Amino acid sequence: MTALALDPDKLNEFLGRFVADLGAVMHAPLVILGDRLGLYAALAEGPASARELAARTKTDARYVTEWLAANAASGYVTYAGDGRYTLTPEQAATLADRNSPANVVGGLMIALSVARDLDHVEEIFRSGKGMAWGDHHDCLFEGTMRFFRAGYARELVSSWLPALDGVVAKLDRGARVADVGCGHGASTLLMAQAFPRSKFVGYDNHAGSIEAARKAAAAAGLSDRVTFEIASAKDYPGAGFDLVACFDCLHDMGDPVGASRHVRDSLAADGTWLLVEPFANDRLEDNLNPIGRIFYSASTAICTPASKSQEVGLALGAQAGERRLREVVLSGGFTRFRRATATPFNLILEARP
């Protein structure tokens, strides 16, 4: 192989980017550890030394010393001097409060699941087979709920539902709503809390997620208006729904056209399909950015394998884009389709029969 001439400036630029990435990958498990042990939550109570924080959390002071130094070097905690550390309000909102709409730990849990499933992913790369959602490490399921719940808590009730034609008025009066592919039910419960006169049912084909969703509904005191059932997007029961919602899941389905057809059949004549998908432009070159990097990576190890494990295996991928999603929705029999709104992370689409 002929040696290539290297531009030292470009090489150093790339190596600098790699060092930053390596630091992030090395630090990510420590963030999850801090969440599990309550280290961030305890530090949010007030400045502390390693010994003081260890006492608050009943952990070992020597390990906490290294953990705090790693977090300070990463900018995840603030070193206050004299051996004491603190959290800024922004650090606390993203790391210490699990219910914060800015919490970021769920995303790192998803990344951890990819690392833990790497041997299986390597196998399907060689075989071309799929990998079912339920075959992933358990941290994927909680991580997905926590990652997406943050965005839903910020946007769903305040922005996305009002962007749909006439839907909020129906929900206020009392509507029938199906949340298809509901996972742990974060989106379902947020809607149920906001609209007490409506009835909600969440469907998912993953039994473990449905069990978790039922427990969450009971803990929130919402079981009077929320139920969860095991069912797929192509065969869930019920008809005459005023609203069907699919949050960040259509691209994971093996047969999204078949799912679209079933959604249309289950809607009332004047019903609405709310389709929330990861934000993507229609051209690859327009998605080569930090957000596209996250979604393409997740799609490689999670979303595309999930679709290929099912019937049809269309494998839309997490960066399908609005034009491709429109084709899928209209192929299912819908006649109206529009972008209702968008965020840097999501496309919010509305379809009508």
Side-chain angles (χ1 to χ4, degrees):
M1 180 181 295
T2 303
L4 299 176
L6 299 178
D7 182 320
D9 291 335
K10 292 181 179 179
L11 178 62
N12 288 333
E13 178 186 358
F14 180 83
L15 290 174
R17 186 160 61 245
F18 171 78
V19 168
D21 289 347
L22 179 60
V25 171
M26 292 292 292
H27 188 61
L30 299 186
V31 178
I32 298 170
L33 182 67
D35 177 78
R36 290 180 179 178
L37 294 174
L39 292 166
Y40 293 115
L43 190 57
E45 296 172 5
S49 66
R51 187 173 297 279
E52 290 166 340
L53 186 59
R56 290 180 193 175
T57 56
K58 295 181 171 58
T59 53
D60 182 82
R62 183 64 188 89
Y63 288 128
V64 172
T65 299
E66 293 300 296
W67 182 87
L68 282 167
N71 273 268
S74 299
Y76 281 45
V77 307
T78 300
Y79 183 55
D82 297 328
R84 294 171 69 78
Y85 298 81
T86 187
L87 290 177
T88 67
E90 295 75 22
Q91 290 166 338
T94 52
L95 297 166
D97 182 0
R98 289 193 175 194
N99 294 317
S100 167
N103 191 278
V104 299
V105 179
L108 297 179
M109 294 177 71
I110 295 173
L112 179 62
S113 77
V114 172
R116 288 180 166 177
D117 291 329
L118 189 59
D119 288 345
H120 195 161
V121 174
E122 178 184 351
E123 178 185 321
I124 64 172
F125 257 69
R126 298 183 186 280
S127 69
K129 296 180 180 179
M131 183 176 180
W133 178 262
D135 290 341
H136 286 275
H137 191 276
D138 286 350
C139 65
L140 173 63
F141 314 134
E142 180 185 353
T144 298
M145 181 275 291
R146 292 180 61 178
F147 176 72
F148 285 112
R149 186 189 185 281
Y152 301 161
R154 288 193 304 270
E155 305 283 357
L156 174 54
V157 173
S158 64
S159 176
W160 297 352
L161 291 173
L164 305 177
D165 186 16
V167 167
V168 169
K170 290 181 182 180
L171 292 168
D172 282 333
R173 290 193 300 267
R176 295 183 63 233
V177 180
D179 189 353
V180 179
C182 65
H184 283 208
S187 51
T188 325
L189 299 180
L190 286 167
M191 290 188 290
Q193 288 169 337
F195 301 101
R197 293 182 179 177
S198 294
K199 297 292 185 181
F200 300 83
V201 55
Y203 298 110
D204 201 283
N205 64 1
H206 183 233
S209 291
I210 290 297
E211 180 181 357
R214 288 170 176 166
K215 290 179 180 178
L222 295 172
S223 298
D224 61 325
R225 55 184 180 270
V226 180
T227 58
F228 290 99
E229 300 180 23
I230 300 172
S232 79
K234 290 174 60 176
D235 64 11
Y236 63 85
F241 289 110
D242 299 293
L243 174 68
V244 173
C246 290
F247 292 92
D248 291 292
C249 63
L250 186 74
H251 63 274
D252 294 314
M253 298 177 189
D255 183 11
V257 174
S260 174
R261 189 174 298 114
H262 187 64
V263 169
R264 186 190 183 286
D265 292 343
S266 73
L267 280 172
D270 62 344
T272 300
W273 185 15
L274 167 61
L275 180 60
V276 176
E277 281 287 295
F279 183 89
N281 296 293
D282 292 323
R283 301 192 313 159
L284 168 65
E285 50 266 46
D286 294 329
N287 296 323
L288 303 182
N289 53 57
I291 292 175
R293 180 190 190 190
I294 293 170
F295 284 136
Y296 278 125
S297 296
S299 188
T300 301
I302 301 170
C303 310
T304 301
S307 180
K308 284 171 68 68
S309 74
Q310 302 169 56
E311 74 284 357
V312 181
L314 189 61
L316 281 174
Q319 295 285 268
E322 184 176 345
R323 183 172 58 202
R324 185 73 180 96
L325 293 168
R326 175 188 294 272
E327 293 171 358
V328 167
V329 170
L330 297 183
S331 295
F334 285 86
T335 61
R336 289 172 285 176
F337 177 94
R338 72 180 181 96
R339 181 191 295 200
T341 187
T343 74
F345 281 92
N346 282 110
L347 291 170
I348 295 83
L349 308 168
E350 178 184 36
R352 305 291 294 271

